[in-house]
Each structure stands twice: as C-alpha cells, then as structure tokens.
Amino acid sequence: MKRRWLIVILGAILLITFEARPAYAMHIMEGFLPPLWALFWFAVTIPFWIVGFRQIQRIAREKPEARLLLGFAAAFTFVLSALKLPSVTGSSSHPTGTGLGAILFGPWVMSVLGSIVLLFQALLIAHGGLTTLGANAFSMAVVGPFVAWLIWRGLVGRASFWLTVFLAAALADLATYVMTSLQLALAHPDPVGGIAASFVKFGAIFAVTQIPLAISEGILTVLVMNALQTSAAAELQALEIKGVRS
Amino acid sequence: MLRVIDRYAFANRLRAVDPAQKGGIALGVILLCVALDRPIVGLMALLWMVGMTVGYGRIPMRIVVTVLGAESVFLALSVIGLVVSIGFEYPDQAQLALSLGPIWVSVSNESLQTALHVLSRTLGAASALNFLILTTPLVDLIELLRRLRMPALVIELMMLTYRAIFILLETLEQMTVAQTARLGYASWRATMRSSALLGSQLFIAAFRRSQALELALTARGFSGDLRVLPLTYVADRRLWWIAGLIVMSLTLAGWLV
C-alpha cells in the first residue's frame, strides 16, 4: 500500500520534470530560504557587487557611452533567457546566458549585470525573489560567470575553440546547478541523512532538467560564438575579447 | 508572462499610488512570513495579498493565479525534495519507505511538517511579491530604488536595461516569426541552428542599437548622464490602514497560534 504511494509520488516527479512547460527551474523562489541563510548569501555576494560596480564605474568614466552598451548587454542576457531551448530529453528549457556573458564582458561586470537581470526576472516575470536575490545572484551571477571565465582564459589557444567555448558554457551551467543544490541543502538538511543526503536529493531532482540544459546551452554557445566570429568581428574587437580569431 | 505583468502593472487601480507605500507593504509581509515562519502566517498572508491584488488593485483573479503558477515547477520539485528523505539505513519513524537497491527512500511526519512550513511560507511571500509587481511598473520601482540612495550609475543601467529589453524582445519576436515561416524549428537540429542564429543576430542588434542610441544622444549634447523628469505619486491613506491591519493580524496569528 505504502509502496504504491511512493511509486505514485515518483511518477509525479518524473511527469512534472519531463512534461513541464519551459521552466526557469533553478531560481530559488521568494520566501524559500530561512532568514539567516538569505542574509548569509547576501553577505557573500556583496563583495562581488562592490568590485564589479567599481569596474563599471571606471569603464563609465573613461567612456561615457559604454554605459549604453552595458545596458544593452544586460537586456541581451535577459532576452536570451527568454529563448526556448530544446533539450536532449525532449522537454525544453531556458538558457542562462551567463557563460556567453562572461566570455564577452568579463566575470566582474557580469556579476553586476547578471544581478540586475535576476532582479528584473523577479520583478517582470515573477521568477526568483527579493529575499532570495543574494543566493540566486551568487549561484547564477557569480559562480557561473567565474567558472566560465576561468575555463575560457585557461583553455583558449590551448584547446580547440569549440571545445573551449562548449566547456566554458556547459560547466558554468553545471556549477550554477551544483551551487543552487548546495544552497537548498544547507537551508533544508535532510532529517535522516543531513546536509549531504539533502544535497544528493536536490541534486538528483534538478539534474533531470539541468544536465540536459547544460549540454544544450554548451552547443548553443558554440554556435553563437561561431556566428559572431563570422558576422560580428568588428564588434568583438571593439570589446577587446582575448583569444577570438578575427 | 513579461507582457502580461507589465501591462497590468501600468493599468490597475493602484498605479498612481506611491511605490514606497506598495513596496513597504509587500516587503513587510515578506519579512513577516520569513521571520515568523508559521504555516498559519503564510496562509493568511496568501489570502490577504491575493485579496488585495484582486479586490483593491482590480487585477483579474485569472492573472493572479497564472503569475503564482509561474514558479510552480520550482516549488513542486523542491517541496518533493523536502518531503522525501534518503539514507542507507532503514528509517525508524518513517510513514512510508521504499528501498531502491541499498538506498532507502522514505517519508516521515517530520519531513511532511517541514514541507508544509516551507510551502505556506513561500506561497505567502510570493503572493506579496506578486502584489507588488502586478500593481507597480518597473519604472516606479527603479524610482523607489533611486530614492533609497542606490548609486546613480546603477539606476541609469537599470533604466537603459528596461528600455532595451522591450526593443530587443520585439526584434527577437520578428526574427522568430521569420524563422518559423521558413521551417526553422521543424527539427531538433534546425531548432538548434535557428536558436544560435537568433542569439548571435540579437547580440549584433543589441550592439548596433546601443551605437545608434549613442549617436542620437551625442547629437543632442550628451554629457555623460541621462536625466528624466521625476514622477509624482499620490499617498493612499486607506492603504496605510489596511497595511496596519495586515501586519497586526499576521503578528497576532504568529504570536497566538
């Protein structure tokens, strides 16, 4: 009897994850984190905001018109996340755009722009939240871009171009996914197995949507970078991106 | 979803009310939900805020439900994660348990209680946030952040971003229609190729648009900052009374029950 109920619950999980409408499944919802954890993630993220803001301030002082480009860059990231991406399991999901953004604009600038995008996603499309903004910003606007950027700078010129871009974008998504699972596990440890079990649990649940997404976004980012090299070489040079063939 | 929320935010009965008032109520309710952390507080906040949005802001019920349902995927998945526990040993106080190889998947009273806690808290807080975003356009919220002494550069970036989102979205939609008309999304491979084209062309469009804006501003004597006229709002006295009532009832419920 009880066994049957569990099978029903497991079936429901599979149904929701596979049949779901395109989902921004990893934005932690408003009110989901207890107060201490919400504050903790704000405290962790604020240093990145300060450094990123200083950098943007310097850019804006040197070239006043650069702020227009930064505004459009944030809007580009926002609109890119509205794309429906087919994922390998057949359902579809939204790209995060953090990998591409970090390659194009650098991780510190991206931590500010990404946070603006997350705030706008909370306020314009009801995904994410205000008290959970710190946690979401840390996983999506700090960890993701930094992972992408480190791989990009570490591998560009050493490995083939497509592999570098693919790894940067896909691993940025995976890092975001692991970080969010960790945030959820820390806030809500498993009553039986503690934080570790909770981490495995949330990781397993979200793996169904996030691992296919990482692969899809990796492929998409490679295609976008290839297309940009052929049709936007001048723009890429204006941004002074290292390692891009022109 | 973006269009729906944006449209109602500009056309509801509380549009002219000071964003500080609406923001204060929403943030107050969110903080109470999170700080008191009682299922009854969350459920009362849900009723209050949905009631306020529909009854006072005159937003259709259908829209409120759709917006609340937008995050149902995250909520459903993570609440399931809270209900189910896993471990290598047979759990003692489990209500139901199922073994998958060496791992025991179980549901206990304690985990059900936690899930109920989090579910009600999240629903209450999310409905308060939805009240804010459905009754207040983003420009008003940016104005509120400016009054709260957010650095001018960030405010400018936000305003530019808000404007640029709608420009780029229009471009995106036109390109999608053109691609769909040419069977651009007929198969998995075609979809991938079309999405990549869309992404790169959108980047170029964003870049060119920002250059065009720069040119237009320079022609009008751009000196480094963008100035806009301040907006004027009205203070709704009745809303203060309702806000007091909400805060009192939530605090009392958290205290007594």
Side-chain angles (χ1 to χ4, degrees):
Chain A
M1 197 52 210
K2 287 177 174 176
R3 206 183 158 83
R4 192 186 303 162
W5 270 108
L6 259 178
I7 291 170
V8 169
I9 292 173
L10 286 176
I13 300 176
L14 291 177
L15 190 73
I16 288 167
T17 43
F18 282 105
E19 293 300 312
R21 288 164 291 129
Y24 302 78
M26 286 305 266
H27 288 53
I28 301 177
M29 199 173 168
E30 180 62 73
F32 199 79
L33 293 179
L36 274 180
W37 282 111
L39 281 177
F40 173 78
W41 292 114
F42 269 107
V44 173
T45 316
I46 283 172
F48 289 91
W49 283 344
I50 292 174
V51 177
F53 177 69
R54 290 258 167 83
Q55 222 172 66
I56 289 181
Q57 226 172 6
R58 209 182 51 232
I59 295 171
R61 215 174 17 241
E62 283 165 10
K63 285 188 288 181
E65 66 277 8
R67 65 186 76 186
L68 305 176
L69 181 64
L70 289 174
F72 271 89
F76 172 68
T77 314
F78 184 98
V79 173
L80 196 70
S81 74
L83 272 186
K84 279 191 216 80
L85 206 59
S87 84
V88 277
T89 49
S91 71
S92 64
S93 195
H94 290 281
T96 57
T98 48
L100 185 62
I103 292 174
L104 294 177
F105 306 106
W108 295 101
V109 171
M110 204 53 207
S111 71
V112 175
L113 294 188
S115 304
I116 293 181
V117 170
L118 284 169
L119 178 66
F120 277 24
Q121 279 171 339
L123 297 175
L124 282 172
I125 52 177
H127 282 94
L130 299 179
T131 58
T132 54
L133 184 66
N136 282 331
F138 187 69
S139 64
M140 273 173 248
V142 173
V143 171
F146 270 93
V147 167
W149 190 74
L150 285 176
I151 292 170
W152 168 252
R153 289 307 284 275
L155 284 183
V156 75
R158 279 180 216 150
S160 63
F161 183 75
W162 71 266
L163 187 68
T164 311
V165 175
F166 176 80
L167 285 179
L171 290 181
D173 272 11
L174 282 183
T176 299
Y177 145 72
V178 168
M179 194 63 225
T180 312
S181 304
L182 188 65
Q183 288 172 335
L184 292 172
L186 285 171
H188 300 288
D190 192 304
V192 180
I195 292 170
S198 186
F199 176 65
V200 171
K201 202 167 62 180
F202 283 114
I205 289 173
F206 287 108
V208 187
T209 56
Q210 294 304 304
I211 289 174
L213 170 71
I215 296 169
S216 301
E217 181 158 357
I219 297 172
L220 180 77
T221 311
V222 171
L223 294 175
V224 169
M225 284 302 284
N226 276 338
L228 282 178
Q229 284 195 332
T230 52
S231 56
E235 281 86 351
L236 288 185
Q237 265 187 340
L239 287 174
E240 294 171 352
I241 294 159
K242 293 250 165 72
V244 173
R245 294 165 293 175
S246 50
Chain B
M1 185 54 74
L2 172 64
R3 291 268 153 79
V4 173
I5 294 179
D6 201 55
R7 192 188 316 136
Y8 281 99
F10 275 104
N12 65 82
R13 224 181 56 156
L14 298 175
R15 165 71 177 90
V17 174
D18 198 324
Q21 228 181 334
K22 292 179 280 189
I25 292 173
L27 213 59
V29 172
I30 291 172
L31 291 181
L32 278 179
C33 280
V34 175
L36 293 174
D37 195 14
R38 294 274 166 80
I40 183 81
V41 176
L43 292 177
M44 274 177 70
L46 175 70
L47 287 178
W48 265 117
M49 294 324 282
V50 169
M52 286 287 287
T53 320
V54 176
Y56 206 62
R58 296 283 152 81
I59 308 279
M61 193 66 194
R62 182 173 46 88
I63 301 299
V64 177
V65 173
T66 318
V67 173
L68 203 56
E71 282 215 299
S72 56
V73 178
F74 174 81
L75 194 58
L77 286 177
S78 44
V79 166
I80 289 168
L82 291 177
V83 169
V84 176
S85 309
I86 56 172
F88 287 112
E89 286 135 45
Y90 180 80
D92 305 327
Q93 316 100 324
Q95 290 294 306
L96 339 151
L98 174 72
S99 68
L100 295 172
I103 299 166
W104 280 94
V105 179
S106 62
V107 175
S108 67
N109 274 337
E110 196 189 343
S111 68
L112 278 173
Q113 203 115 49
T114 318
L116 183 69
H117 248 80
V118 173
L119 183 70
S120 59
R121 183 176 78 202
T122 308
L123 282 176
S127 62
L129 181 64
N130 290 351
F131 163 76
L132 180 66
I133 63 179
L134 278 169
T135 56
T136 318
L138 196 63
V139 276
D140 288 3
L141 291 172
I142 295 174
E143 165 72 15
L144 180 63
L145 287 176
R146 193 188 62 76
R147 277 195 250 157
L148 293 173
R149 305 284 170 87
M150 188 77 128
L153 185 59
V154 177
I155 298 296
E156 244 171 54
L157 270 181
M158 283 183 177
M159 298 223 274
L160 276 169
T161 307
Y162 180 60
R163 178 73 196 112
I165 282 172
F166 287 91
I167 296 175
L168 292 183
L169 209 61
E170 213 172 288
T171 316
L172 180 81
E173 276 165 9
Q174 286 168 353
M175 290 195 291
T176 317
V177 168
Q179 286 180 330
T180 317
R182 290 162 182 77
L183 294 180
Y185 295 91
S187 65
W188 192 85
R189 279 185 71 92
T191 307
M192 224 45 205
R193 198 178 53 227
S194 297
S195 302
L197 255 172
L198 215 55
S200 58
Q201 288 304 311
L202 199 67
F203 173 78
I204 297 168
F207 199 94
R208 302 252 158 95
R209 285 284 194 157
S210 81
Q211 281 180 325
L213 188 61
E214 181 194 326
L215 198 64
L217 282 170
T218 314
R220 287 159 183 79
F222 182 52
S223 64
D225 40 34
L226 299 160
R227 291 192 203 139
V228 288
L229 289 172
L231 301 156
T232 50
Y233 304 103
V234 294
D236 185 343
R237 202 165 301 155
R238 196 148 48 125
L239 197 58
W240 279 130
W241 284 106
I242 300 175
L245 210 61
I246 295 175
V247 170
M248 287 236 304
S249 64
L250 291 186
T251 320
L252 272 179
W255 208 276
L256 296 178
V257 182

